[in-house]
């Protein structure tokens, strides 16, 4: 079923299938569209989806793009409007200091490397982070995505019933 997504969730070169699966489930739960930017660290085929038991996958609005440039062409409007929020542990601004709006993009990097500098630097003013103590090197990608997605829909005022 096609719908206008509440927000766009972008995973740039995701590596771990269960993280992508968990984020996909959260996207279904809130009405977000999931964008996957290649290369992916796993295969997404009907057989793989069935094997993983992703019974919600048919309800997920998702699209795979070849690279960041293709994504920026398809989502040019939120990018041009400064409505793309790039999550990085190097950002200084908290994800809660953003006024999220319907149609925003939440962009997350790969589990091992995060977002590359060539994506992050041109959008440094839109870089945000989920605060954590210095004893932790990083948080799990699906946990960060869930925290960010639910803060965005809380602010937007979406009714999930």
């Amino acid at each position: 079923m096609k719908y206008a997504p509440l927000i766009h969730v972008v995973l740039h070169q995701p590596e771990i299938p269960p993280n992508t699966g968990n984020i996909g489930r959260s996207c279904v739960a809130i009405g977000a569209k999931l964008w996957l930017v290649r290369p992916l660290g796993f295969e997404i085929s009907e057989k793989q989806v069935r094997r993983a038991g992703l019974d919600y996958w048919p309800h997920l609005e998702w699209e795979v793009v070849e690279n960041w440039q293709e994504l920026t062409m398809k989502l040019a409007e939120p990018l041009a409007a400064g409505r793309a929020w790039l999550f990085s542990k190097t950002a200084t601004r908290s994800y809660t200091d953003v006024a999220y709006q319907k149609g925003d993009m939440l962009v997350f990097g790969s589990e091992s490397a995060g977002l590359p500098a060539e994506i992050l630097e041109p959008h440094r003013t839109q870089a945000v982070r989920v605060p954590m103590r210095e004893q932790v090197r990083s948080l799990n990608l699906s946990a960060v995505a869930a925290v960010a997605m639910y803060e965005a829909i809380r602010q937007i005022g979406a009714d999930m019933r």
Side-chain angles (χ1 to χ4, degrees):
M1 167 174 53
K2 296 281 185 191
Y3 58 89
L6 185 63
I7 58 174
H8 298 274
V9 175
V10 177
L11 303 183
H12 184 266
Q13 302 180 353
E15 300 164 328
I16 302 174
N19 283 337
T20 300
N22 288 335
I23 293 166
R25 181 177 306 141
S26 296
C27 286
V28 171
I30 68 166
K33 181 170 181 177
L34 178 62
W35 295 84
L36 304 175
V37 180
R38 290 189 193 275
L40 309 180
F42 48 86
E43 180 185 332
I44 297 182
S45 65
E46 186 177 334
K47 180 180 177 182
Q48 295 292 81
V49 167
R50 254 194 339 272
R51 180 179 293 156
L54 303 178
D55 57 336
Y56 60 86
W57 203 259
H59 306 288
L60 176 63
E61 277 294 318
W62 64 287
E63 189 170 337
V64 178
V65 294
E66 290 303 314
N67 52 46
W68 179 254
Q69 291 72 27
E70 182 181 350
L71 178 82
T72 61
M73 289 184 337
K74 291 186 177 224
L75 291 176
E77 188 176 324
L79 274 168
R83 306 302 317 162
W85 305 106
L86 287 73
F87 284 76
S88 172
K89 70 179 187 177
T90 64
T92 56
R93 184 179 189 186
S94 173
Y95 77 106
T96 58
D97 292 339
V98 170
Y100 297 98
Q101 298 175 21
K102 187 174 182 180
D104 279 5
M105 292 171 55
L106 308 182
V107 183
F108 304 92
S110 70
E111 290 89 342
S112 65
L115 288 169
E118 61 267 16
I119 292 174
L120 196 53
E121 288 308 318
H123 304 284
R124 185 49 78 177
T125 60
Q126 295 158 254
V128 294
R129 66 178 295 156
V130 174
M132 63 184 165
R133 295 176 63 206
E134 65 184 33
Q135 292 87 347
V136 176
R137 184 183 74 248
S138 64
L139 295 170
N140 177 274
L141 177 61
S142 62
V144 171
V147 165
M149 292 162 69
Y150 275 90
E151 174 62 15
I153 65 161
R154 182 193 71 77
Q155 288 188 24
I156 293 168
D159 183 3
M160 295 295 111
R161 285 178 270 160

